[in-house]
Amino acid sequence: MIWEIDDAPKAVEGLDENGRPDPAYAAALGLRTAPFGRRVLATVLELALALLLALPGMLVLVPIALDAVSGALDLDALFARDDLVWLIVGVSVSQALITAYTIVQLVLHGRKGVTFGKGLVGIRSINVRTLERPGFWRGAVVRYLLIGATFLVPIIGPVLVIAFSPLMDSERRGRGWLDLAAATWFVDVRAGLNPYDVKRMRIARKQFRTALHEEVAPLPSLATPTELHAPAEYVPTARFSGGVLGAHRTTGSGPTGAAPAAAAPGGPLTAAPAPAPVPASAVVPTPAPTASPGAPGAAPVPATGMVTGTPFTPRADAAPVPPAVPPAPAEPAAPVEPGPASASAPPMPPVAEAAAAPAAAAISPVRAVLVLDSGERIEVRATTLIGRAPSPAAGEGAVQLARIDDETRSVSKTHLAIQIARRGAMAVDRASTNGSALVRDGVETMLLPGHPVELRTGDIVNFGDRSLRVEQL
């Protein structure tokens, strides 16, 4: 077995031509700069907690330090105190708490971009180039060492570096001198995208890379009304690659048998002019059928007529129509003499032939063959639902269910549908969480939820972290 190691450098998205982070890219993903007021509040909360943990040691060391400064410190009297052991315990506990608090802050900031104060106010720290965690050494250790160095110049250093330097950012992203040195950026996870939500971040990056097709306005219905004043309401019955089959449903009232409405180009539907009255000589009456003797009292069927249209008059500038070729006379069929069994058997009604059709269509042929990234094959014979726990919608009819094992739960319960079309198959995203994409000739196109896309042999459909390939149509 040969193992291939991809040692190529990882491509970093969101950098401009000079290799600097592009603020427009981060804004397109949905990342928002943390407000300055909340950043100050997070710092104040962290300092307050640190002072609270250091309080036992400060109660012991501050009086001793004041005596040492004033020259009134007596070491013999200090070591002769009865409570010296408790003083040492208080200082040791305070130092241990401060050390543990600092280590926890460093680890959380480097790996999760969050600290005690940032977690309370809803902001996170990320690397400004990769938009991922800032890192332990540069993003956390270097930053905290610089913060400690600012206190070497009391009051002025912390105020200038921590408070005022973020206000001088030319990109207006609130990045101060500490952020420039640590390559960090504070973002607001309440009003914007949380960069540590891996699933949402992956979807945002994919949507930015993929050019979505503009949804065109729906075309007017081609259904023919059956009444004069009825609106052309469209009722879909089936969808195929060549168009949509539909039935017209009337909602208004009008005279039965009136002329259908005609749609003027670019305008509303208008009623077509009524046809000219048909002369009585054009009506060819047909004899009324006689009632069967086995049904006494049956009402007689009224006579019906066949209306012939007016003769067609060609235009003056129309091309001459070639004469119609008379059809060849049909050869008379040979008479078939009924046998003794067929003469006595009653004729088979046409309903029996229609009832045999569903039985023949129960075993549908294979319309498409799909190969999953795990090597499993799916033979598509009807509408196939793919997901972790697929289930058909109400009124969807008979479907195939293809259950996908996905430990990362990137695949929705009913993620993707493969529908049968007249000339192949169609892929439809079922409003999944992570979305679906069609890869054809190296170009990836996102699937809009509910919009079918025709599949071709060799296409790859990505759904969540899984994928399938169209092997045969």
Side-chain angles (χ1 to χ4, degrees):
M1 180 181 294
I2 300 176
W3 296 90
E4 295 183 0
I5 300 177
D6 187 10
D7 55 353
K10 182 181 177 181
V12 179
E13 297 181 359
L15 302 181
D16 57 13
E17 60 276 4
N18 299 323
R20 295 177 300 185
D22 187 6
Y25 174 78
L29 296 183
L31 299 176
R32 300 292 179 264
T33 300
F36 179 73
R38 274 198 270 167
R39 290 186 56 178
V40 174
L41 178 60
T43 304
V44 171
L45 291 176
E46 293 172 3
L47 290 177
L49 180 59
L51 292 176
L52 181 62
L53 297 177
L55 185 61
M58 294 176 60
L59 294 177
V60 175
L61 296 177
V62 169
I64 296 177
L66 293 178
D67 291 343
V69 171
S70 61
L73 178 63
D74 187 1
L75 295 179
D76 295 335
L78 176 64
F79 288 108
R81 293 180 59 172
D82 297 335
D83 57 348
L84 179 63
V85 176
W86 293 107
L87 297 179
I88 297 175
V89 169
V91 173
S92 302
V93 170
S94 180
Q95 284 295 113
L97 291 177
I98 287 295
T99 303
Y101 173 71
T102 304
I103 294 176
V104 171
Q105 290 280 88
L106 290 174
V107 173
L108 288 179
H109 193 185
R111 298 185 60 85
K112 299 295 184 181
V114 65
T115 56
F116 170 73
K118 298 178 181 63
L120 291 179
V121 300
I123 61 178
R124 297 291 185 273
S125 176
I126 59 176
N127 187 292
V128 71
R129 288 174 52 86
T130 62
L131 304 182
E132 297 175 351
R133 59 185 185 180
F136 177 76
W137 292 107
R138 183 176 181 180
V141 175
V142 171
R143 182 184 184 85
Y144 277 80
L145 288 177
L146 293 177
I147 291 177
T150 59
F151 286 92
L152 297 177
V153 181
I155 301 176
I156 298 177
V159 171
L160 180 62
V161 176
I162 299 177
F164 284 100
S165 64
L167 302 178
M168 296 182 287
D169 185 11
S170 60
E171 297 179 350
R172 299 186 179 276
R173 304 171 77 180
R175 300 183 65 235
W177 295 341
L178 297 176
D179 298 314
L180 295 177
T184 55
W185 178 37
F186 289 95
V187 295
D188 185 3
V189 297
R190 293 181 180 176
L193 176 66
N194 185 359
Y196 292 92
D197 190 340
V198 180
K199 181 183 296 186
R200 299 294 181 185
M201 197 68 178
R202 183 174 65 248
I203 295 174
R205 291 181 185 271
K206 184 182 296 185
Q207 289 179 347
F208 181 84
R209 292 194 303 265
T210 305
L212 298 179
H213 297 286
E214 246 182 66
E215 188 174 356
V216 297
L219 296 176
S221 171
L222 299 180
T224 303
T226 58
E227 297 182 3
L228 177 61
H229 302 288
E233 184 177 357
Y234 176 71
V235 182
T237 58
R239 184 181 296 273
F240 298 91
S241 60
V244 180
L245 299 182
H248 178 68
R249 180 174 60 191
T250 60
T251 56
S253 59
T256 305
L269 293 174
T270 57
V278 181
S281 59
V283 179
V284 182
T286 57
T290 58
S292 60
V301 181
T304 58
M306 179 179 64
V307 180
T308 61
T310 57
F312 172 73
T313 304
R315 299 187 325 186
D317 56 348
V321 180
V325 180
E331 298 181 1
V336 180
E337 298 182 0
S342 61
S344 58
M348 183 179 181
V351 180
E353 298 179 2
I363 304 178
S364 302
V366 177
R367 304 297 299 273
V369 177
L370 311 177
V371 180
L372 297 175
D373 51 5
S374 58
E376 301 174 79
R377 297 166 61 88
I378 301 176
E379 294 183 351
V380 179
R381 300 176 183 269
T383 299
T384 303
L385 304 181
I386 301 175
R388 289 188 291 105
S391 60
E396 195 165 5
V399 296
Q400 290 181 231
L401 303 179
R403 185 177 178 274
I404 303 298
D405 294 331
D406 183 24
E407 297 180 356
T408 61
R409 302 179 71 86
S410 63
V411 179
S412 301
K413 291 185 178 180
T414 305
H415 195 114
L416 186 69
I418 306 299
Q419 297 179 349
I420 298 301
R422 184 177 59 182
R423 293 181 297 178
M426 314 284 285
V428 184
D429 183 81
R430 298 294 288 265
S432 59
T433 301
N434 289 331
S436 307
L438 174 67
V439 181
R440 178 179 298 165
D441 299 331
V443 180
E444 185 178 23
T445 305
M446 293 294 296
L447 300 183
L448 298 179
H451 289 245
V453 176
E454 184 177 359
L455 296 177
R456 299 178 185 173
T457 303
D459 288 350
I460 297 177
V461 180
N462 297 328
F463 54 101
D465 292 338
R466 302 294 302 271
S467 64
L468 59 87
R469 178 174 55 86
V470 182
E471 184 179 82
Q472 180 183 355
L473 287 177

